[in-house]
Amino acid sequence: MTSPISESWTRIEAWLARHTPRTFAALGPPAERSAIAVAEQAIGQPFPEPLVESLLRHNGMGHFDLLPPFWSLLDVEGITRAWQVRTEIYGDEVAGADEGDPNGEHGPWWHGQWIPFAFDGGGDYLIVDQRSSRHRGRIGDADHETGCFFRRHPMWASLQALLDATANALETGEAVDGYLPVVVDEDELDWEF
């Protein structure tokens, strides 16, 4: 039986190879399990299984838009660096970052149980929320100026949902959460919103 992550990646890869070969070529090779283990030790927590499965398929990419609207995948080292930098900036406040509603739409500026997996090139990250709450595993946008927010659209409920929604948008050419896939210069993926 094919997992949802693997199935979504197969669909995304097929579309990229056909329509945007430059973006397809930017996808990294599989990560080594040992590199993932080193990263998990560095940040003091295991990666969620969907993220591990995704990294074992593609260990990041260059700065090419893949996930709507402008997110590129981090490699294992990039995940570790992003987590460490954000944690160092937030400092001692990380311990109290759960104050407020962990199920709410907005989070603190940073939390130690968030694992970044995609970047926009401007200092913002998509994170997997690993805090113990009913929304564990959801995707948040950790903005470097305003803090983290969590969108309500179903595509942001998990990494599986995000990859599936991305694959659906690519295959159908229809917008998802207001983001429409487009081909730029006949070889690169972009998103309009």
Side-chain angles (χ1 to χ4, degrees):
M1 185 162 124
T2 305
S3 77
I5 294 289
S6 179
E7 180 181 311
S8 293
W9 266 121
T10 298
R11 294 167 57 208
I12 290 168
E13 292 161 350
W15 190 92
L16 293 175
R18 253 190 331 274
H19 301 285
T20 59
R22 189 167 175 215
T23 303
F24 177 73
L27 293 171
E32 297 288 332
R33 282 195 182 270
S34 59
I36 294 170
V38 167
E40 291 172 327
Q41 184 174 0
I43 68 171
Q45 64 181 312
F47 288 178
E49 190 54 39
L51 179 56
V52 170
E53 189 174 346
S54 184
L55 288 165
L56 291 173
R57 187 74 173 243
H58 293 291
N59 187 23
M61 64 189 309
H63 192 227
F64 287 83
D65 296 344
L66 177 67
L67 303 173
F70 41 66
W71 299 103
S72 304
L73 299 175
L74 289 165
D75 62 13
V76 173
E77 289 178 4
I79 289 170
T80 304
R81 267 192 317 277
W83 184 90
Q84 288 171 334
V85 166
R86 280 291 182 100
T87 301
E88 287 171 14
I89 291 170
Y90 208 54
D92 294 335
E93 296 178 41
V94 170
D98 257 338
E99 294 176 15
D101 181 8
N103 293 309
E105 190 173 322
H106 296 280
W109 188 82
W110 185 249
H111 194 286
Q113 290 181 309
W114 291 344
I115 300 176
F117 68 92
F119 69 104
D120 69 356
D124 302 333
Y125 299 100
L126 285 183
I127 58 95
V128 179
D129 187 356
Q130 290 296 97
R131 294 177 294 171
S132 296
S133 76
R134 64 186 175 98
H135 293 295
R136 183 180 173 95
R138 68 183 169 166
I139 304 303
D141 180 345
D143 185 278
H144 72 283
E145 292 181 356
T146 60
C148 194
F149 64 95
F150 300 93
R151 296 182 181 111
R152 295 186 185 272
H153 191 280
M155 75 183 269
W156 304 106
S158 66
L159 184 56
Q160 300 96 310
L162 178 57
L163 290 176
D164 182 58
T166 300
N168 287 338
L170 295 176
E171 291 173 340
T172 65
E174 296 176 6
V176 59
D177 196 22
Y179 307 119
L180 182 69
V182 294
V183 176
V184 177
D185 297 330
E186 300 181 8
D187 67 353
E188 195 171 323
L189 174 63
D190 198 4
W191 296 85
E192 290 180 352
F193 53 98

